[in-house]
Amino acid sequence: MPVMAVVGAQWGDEGKGKIVDMLAEKASVVARYQGGNNAGHTVINHLGEFRLHLVPAGIFDPRVTCIIGNGVVIDPQALIDEIDLLASRGISVDNLCISERAHAIMPYHILLDRLEEQARGRQSIGTTGRGIGPAYSDKVARTGIRMGDLVDRTLLRDKLAFILEQKNRILTKLYDAEPLSLKEVHERYLQYGERLARHIKNTTQLVQSAIAEGRNVLLEGAQGTLLDLDFGTYPYVTSSSPTSGAACSGLGIAPTQITCALGVFKAYQTRVGAGPFPTEIYDETGEMIRELGQEYGTLTGRPRRIGWFDAVLAQHAMQVNGFKSIAITRLDILDTLPRLKICVKYRFDGIEDSYPPIDLARCEPVYEEHPGWQTPTGGIRRFDELPQAARSYVNRLAELIGVNLDIVSVGANREQTIMLNSML
Ligand code: GDP
Ligand code: IMO
Ligand code: MG
């Protein structure tokens, strides 16, 4: 594996948490490179069931150094809550390191995320309301506060005095909201800094030393390729780049240092929030998959929209990430279906093509039909023991994507996994 990026290949919630937890057994470092606590990564292992938002999914193994990289935006309160919850369940966070360069999500980011969403009205994105977009906007505008700033009383006050005055003007004049108090925000964030100080480090040096020593490093992506700022369904996207390339800028490693990108795909397709979704299923089959799969957001509890596997978008994800390997998850959720569909082309402007145009809303999917297997797969651990129709379905997905299928996941537990490549 030496340096492997694990990347969401659809609209998020593909099961990255499960795959990272499983692969972390062989890793020395697990590092998040983008996103924030808009992520909800579920891990079910011998220690129990956990929902991680900021802490990397390697945290359950005390040998693993877990890094929250510079590309992540951090709500310190959310991180402290997550650390406390893990500690209360006996999980040590001694090996958690936070980049001093990661930007902090401030109270005005959370307020503005919600106010901007309201103002968008019918065009709202359906964000998670965690302040992600406004925090990344401030980073780009060079008015962000970094985690390293939280341990310096004077520096933090000087930065906040300027920024808060601007934000308060927006809050009060544009949105008729209450202003925030400089003193309160300053004191609160200093306390966060004090609490988190022992974890705040130069994490680039940590990742670089691990790579130099030839140790295995997992780069944990959040969200998914179709939520990428550039390659997703803009503007219905998140405000970071979940694709493999962002692991470089999000951690301080070179493109040549990443040995492999593993794409995580669901055996079908889901989406939370607004935006185009060509293969969305509106009838009772969609309802059925939602109930069978309990497809409700890990973070917000919102019902996830359900659709058939979209190979056109999968090929796009393959291209922009350069996957060497893929995992197909949640195959078991399709166990009872009599027939399945895969979108192999789009019809738009009177032509059929196999690449996504900029405006997905105009696309009509062209499907290929496959028989279901109507047999439980959750107990199967070997690929050749899967029902023939299930094997042929996942093989067809891998063929359409054009990459090796290395992992098939047939349940939420760590051991409900079929490994096709022992090298991983
Ligand atoms: P992530 O954001 O990509 O880490 O995915 P989430 O944790 O948000 O959502 C994936 C959901 O599917 C979680 O509830 C997982 O426990 C669960 N899960 C992962 N892999 C499988 C699988 O192969 N089968 C089933 N039934 N559930 C799975
Ligand atoms: P994980 O890591 C699924 C979606 C939101 C919304 C859009 C923008 O668990 O796969 P944001 O709050 O980021 O500005 O919201 O992105 N979204 C996710 N959907 N899984 C996620 O993360 C997501 N993170 C953000 O629902 O549509
Ligand atoms: Mg999730």
Side-chain angles (χ1 to χ4, degrees), residues 11-13 16 38-41 126-128 223 227 237-238 272-273 302:
W11 278 293
D13 301 329
K16 299 174 292 292
N38 48 350
H41 295 180
T127 72
T128 58
Q223 289 79 54
L227 290 169
V237 293
T238 190
V272 211
R302 289 180 289 176

Side-chain angles (χ1 to χ4, degrees), residues 141-212:
R142 295 160 294 184
T143 47
I145 306 264
R146 302 195 289 181
M147 293 304 286
D149 300 334
L150 305 188
V151 292
D152 186 329
R153 173 174 281 275
T154 316
L155 179 83
L156 181 61
R157 198 181 183 290
D158 290 349
K159 285 195 173 184
L160 262 178
F162 168 72
I163 298 163
L164 209 55
E165 198 195 313
Q166 286 196 329
K167 299 295 178 190
N168 276 340
R169 243 185 276 155
I170 296 172
L171 284 170
T172 55
K173 301 229 157 53
L174 195 58
Y175 293 110
D176 224 2
E178 291 297 311
L180 291 161
S181 143
L182 172 61
K183 188 167 179 297
E184 272 174 36
V185 176
H186 184 223
E187 284 308 322
R188 209 170 109 199
Y189 275 71
L190 276 176
Q191 280 172 22
Y192 294 148
E194 211 172 292
R195 170 75 200 273
L196 295 171
R198 75 184 177 100
H199 300 282
I200 300 176
K201 297 189 176 144
N202 177 338
T203 51
T204 299
Q205 289 313 319
L206 291 173
V207 183
Q208 286 292 349
S209 332
I211 297 175

Side-chain angles (χ1 to χ4, degrees), residues 329-409:
T329 65
R330 298 179 67 87
L331 185 69
D332 54 298
I333 301 301
L334 303 178
D335 281 350
T336 55
L337 267 64
R339 297 201 70 72
L340 304 167
K341 289 187 195 178
I342 303 173
C343 164
V344 289
K345 277 186 188 163
Y346 286 154
R347 201 172 289 130
F348 57 95
D349 295 344
I351 50 160
E352 279 187 10
D353 224 321
S354 50
Y355 69 90
I358 189 166
D359 179 12
L360 282 189
R362 291 188 295 131
C363 292
E364 190 194 324
V366 177
Y367 288 114
E368 180 178 277
E369 287 218 11
H370 287 259
W373 44 95
Q374 300 191 287
T375 313
T377 56
I380 296 174
R381 300 291 172 268
R382 284 169 47 122
F383 192 71
D384 55 11
E385 286 170 5
L386 279 174
Q388 195 274 329
R391 266 182 287 146
S392 119
Y393 179 72
V394 291
N395 278 335
R396 179 65 178 142
L397 298 186
E399 180 184 45
L400 284 164
I401 301 166
V403 71
N404 291 331
L405 171 63
D406 284 339
I407 302 174
V408 177
S409 174

